[in-house]
Amino acid sequence: METIKGSTSFNICNNKEAAELCSNRKQIDGLLKQISSGYLGIWGVNSSDEIFYRTGISSNKKDGDGWHKVDGALKHISSGEYGIWGVNSSDEIFYREGISNIIPYGTSWTKIDGGLKQISSGIFGIWGVNSQNELFFREGVSYLNPKGTGWKFLNPGIKYVSVGKYGVWVINTLNEIFFRNNISFLNPLGDSWVQIDGKLEQISCGELGIFGTNENDEIFYRKGVTNYNLKGDSWEKINEGLKHISNGIYGIWGVDKNDNIYIMN
């Protein structure tokens, strides 16, 4: 079975609004409390902070065929262009070494300076939030130095961050949503925040658009998002019953309040 590499997309939404094609979901074996669908595959952590990588994903089997248990213990994990990053129950930060086509789940963890409760790895760098709800950006990150050089504080009052194809999106402690203006490879920090309508508990900025879940586990999709309209136009409810959602080149994955795992299709 040929494994899809990071440069291949399933094009799950077939160039149509996700509300039309992503209203159904298929349950996947296993239990996870948090999941990440990103450039380096599907990763997740369970209620015991055990780490898993989804094996067997191919063009003919986009949901894979099993879970490979990875060494270590994390409460949150992120799969992105600058690697696999995670944080443990003590808010310590780790980077996964040795990832390759031959060993897609890597070989070891390297501890990174700082402390975060949640982290996001994406095309516009590494962003994270600490236990005081402060937002940080990892400076010095590049493909030659994916672990970067240090953390830069940006803003207080942020409880969740997601970075991806359509920029950097955050949720504050009031569940209000904000988009970071004017981020680019030359200006990776951007310059200002724009508030977006609506309220969410968790958000996913990925290859297939902007998705989020609210306090009632309802799932929303941001309509109108394009490379020329990064903020989109409005939210559309597409389903319900997920506490966490993640979208990327390997599809839209989520988990419910009982840690059941689903792929949207």
Side-chain angles (χ1 to χ4, degrees):
M1 181 178 292
E2 181 184 359
T3 300
I4 291 183
K5 307 302 188 294
S7 60
T8 306
S9 170
F10 289 121
N11 197 20
I12 191 171
C13 292
N14 197 26
N15 298 318
K16 297 181 180 180
E17 290 290 332
E20 297 178 13
L21 293 177
C22 300
S23 58
N24 299 313
R25 60 179 184 244
K26 174 184 176 182
Q27 187 169 352
I28 303 297
D29 58 290
L31 295 171
L32 295 173
K33 67 178 179 180
Q34 184 258 327
I35 198 165
S36 179
S37 170
Y39 185 77
L40 294 176
I42 309 300
W43 294 67
V45 295
N46 67 12
S47 59
S48 300
D49 291 352
E50 294 174 316
I51 307 163
F52 294 89
Y53 168 81
R54 188 68 177 173
T55 60
I57 291 179
S58 72
S59 57
N60 296 321
K61 192 170 178 57
K62 63 188 178 184
D63 55 353
D65 59 17
W67 295 101
H68 174 84
K69 188 174 183 297
V70 178
D71 61 288
L74 296 174
K75 67 177 179 180
H76 190 278
I77 197 164
S78 181
S79 165
E81 282 82 351
Y82 290 105
I84 303 299
W85 291 68
V87 296
N88 69 10
S89 59
S90 300
D91 290 354
E92 295 173 319
I93 307 164
F94 292 88
Y95 170 85
R96 188 66 175 172
E97 303 278 5
I99 290 177
S100 67
N101 289 335
I102 298 174
I103 310 176
Y105 41 80
T107 56
S108 62
W109 294 101
T110 294
K111 189 174 181 295
I112 304 295
D113 61 287
L116 296 172
K117 68 175 182 178
Q118 184 257 327
I119 197 164
S120 182
S121 168
I123 193 169
F124 292 111
I126 310 300
W127 297 64
V129 175
N130 69 10
S131 59
Q132 286 77 48
N133 295 317
E134 297 172 322
L135 178 67
F136 289 85
F137 170 79
R138 186 72 177 171
E139 295 184 302
V141 170
S142 69
Y143 288 115
L144 294 177
N145 183 28
K147 294 190 285 289
T149 56
W151 295 102
K152 180 178 178 62
F153 168 76
L154 268 78
N155 290 90
I158 304 298
K159 72 175 187 179
Y160 200 93
V161 60
S162 182
V163 53
K165 177 180 178 179
Y166 298 104
V168 175
W169 294 65
V170 301
I171 298 173
N172 70 9
T173 53
L174 300 175
N175 289 347
E176 296 169 330
I177 308 159
F178 291 84
F179 168 83
R180 189 69 173 173
N181 244 350
N182 297 320
I183 283 181
S184 68
F185 293 113
L186 295 177
N187 183 31
L189 288 175
D191 57 24
S192 61
W193 293 104
V194 176
Q195 186 168 358
I196 305 296
D197 59 290
K199 288 192 173 185
L200 293 171
E201 280 279 344
Q202 182 260 330
I203 196 164
S204 172
C205 171
E207 186 73 18
L208 303 177
I210 311 300
F211 294 78
T213 59
N214 67 10
E215 60 185 4
N216 298 316
D217 291 350
E218 296 172 316
I219 308 163
F220 291 86
Y221 167 73
R222 187 71 179 171
K223 296 178 66 175
V225 172
T226 69
N227 291 331
Y228 305 100
N229 182 27
L230 297 174
K231 296 186 290 294
D233 299 321
S234 62
W235 295 104
E236 181 166 341
K237 180 183 173 183
I238 60 172
N239 211 314
E240 58 188 20
L242 293 182
K243 66 178 179 180
H244 184 93
I245 194 166
S246 180
N247 88 91
I249 62 173
Y250 297 110
I252 306 165
W253 293 65
V255 296
D256 67 14
K257 64 181 180 181
N258 297 315
D259 293 352
N260 295 307
I261 308 164
Y262 299 90
I263 182 172
M264 308 282 278
N265 51 50

